[in-house]
Amino acid sequence: MKMNKIVPFAMSALLVGGAALPAGVFAKGGENTEEMQVKPSFVQVGGTIEEVEKVDYATLYTIKNGEEINVLAVTKEALVFDNTGKQVELKKGDKVTGYTDADKPMIMIYPPQYTVDAVIVETEKTGSVAVGTFDKELVDSNLKLQLNVGEDTDLSSVSGKQVKAADLAEKDLLVFYTMTTRSIPAQTTPEKIIVLDGKATDPGTNSAVDKIIAADHKMVDGVMMVPLRLIAEELGYQVKTTGKGAILSKDAKSFTITRGEKKYGYNKSLRQFEVAPDLLETNKTYVPTSFVDDLME
């Protein structure tokens, strides 16, 4: 688990701009304090939802903050809450902030598109949100915030595993809280903590795969395409060429991919790509990067 992950979000302040924020930014009561730390592990983008478009793999929300325009790709795995920790549906006019792991490959299109791990909707109700990693004492040194888990703190995880206070150290956390002390570090007893231990369409859980994607990818219709064989074999799959595509097998799992066809086989069921696999280099089939999650399930 990567350390020093923190991107705070204080709902009592306005959304903090549409660009990635450096670590150590804390907005509260109109005051901004910035300490340049390590590269933030979560990219944060905010704005008001102006357009909504459903595609095969996600719902795309175009958000605007001043002159900044970004697109949040919200998959079924993404967490969507308001600032009080209540699950909500996104709609036009909502003021939102999206968080995505900074290690995910960036889709180089305009406007920028982020496949988010979580989206927070700003409401008029009191509530603040922090996204980051806390140490063994549940202190985040960048945010200068310490968590005091109480008996009433709602603990859960994306993976569905049962969570205790002892399980929170050095994990990626989504924290909902309302009040802090004036001490250094500030202390809070959160209302809710969610451990971000699910895949959430995050191929960054395998560093070797990350390196392959970073070094070898193509853009097709705004979708990042990655080399099928290189990634499949890195993840332990046997790859058999069919002439029009490939059959991937590992343990009890089998995928049948055909170039030029969006539908692909998974065991005895059918799934669908957002963009059809294609031979983008000689003898090299590329597939949408979202397929990496299927391989890693």
Side-chain angles (χ1 to χ4, degrees), residues 134-154:
F134 293 76
D135 66 16
K136 293 180 180 179
E137 302 299 323
L138 296 184
V139 175
D140 181 86
S141 57
N142 290 310
L143 184 58
K144 299 181 175 61
L145 180 67
Q146 181 172 12
L147 307 182
N148 297 322
V149 180
E151 293 182 359
D152 295 330
T153 302
D154 181 3

Side-chain angles (χ1 to χ4, degrees), residues 244-261:
K244 295 183 178 180
I247 297 174
L248 285 55
S249 57
K250 177 182 177 182
D251 301 325
K253 298 171 64 176
S254 177
F255 295 91
T256 302
I257 289 90
T258 303
R259 289 191 296 272
E261 294 186 10

Side-chain angles (χ1 to χ4, degrees), residues 99-110:
Y99 298 89
T100 185
D101 194 309
D103 289 335
K104 286 184 180 178
M106 180 65 183
I107 299 178
M108 303 304 292
I109 59 175
Y110 182 83

Side-chain angles (χ1 to χ4, degrees), residues 118-166:
V119 181
I120 303 299
V121 179
E122 178 184 359
T123 72
E124 295 180 355
K125 297 180 180 178
T126 301
S128 298
V129 179
V131 181
T133 303
F134 293 76
D135 66 16
K136 293 180 180 179
E137 302 299 323
L138 296 184
V139 175
D140 181 86
S141 57
N142 290 310
L143 184 58
K144 299 181 175 61
L145 180 67
Q146 181 172 12
L147 307 182
N148 297 322
V149 180
E151 293 182 359
D152 295 330
T153 302
D154 181 3
L155 302 178
S156 63
S157 66
V158 171
S159 67
K161 295 178 182 178
Q162 290 188 339
V163 178
K164 304 185 296 294

Side-chain angles (χ1 to χ4, degrees), residues 254 265-270:
S254 177
Y266 171 60
N267 291 349
K268 295 182 179 180
S269 64
L270 287 177

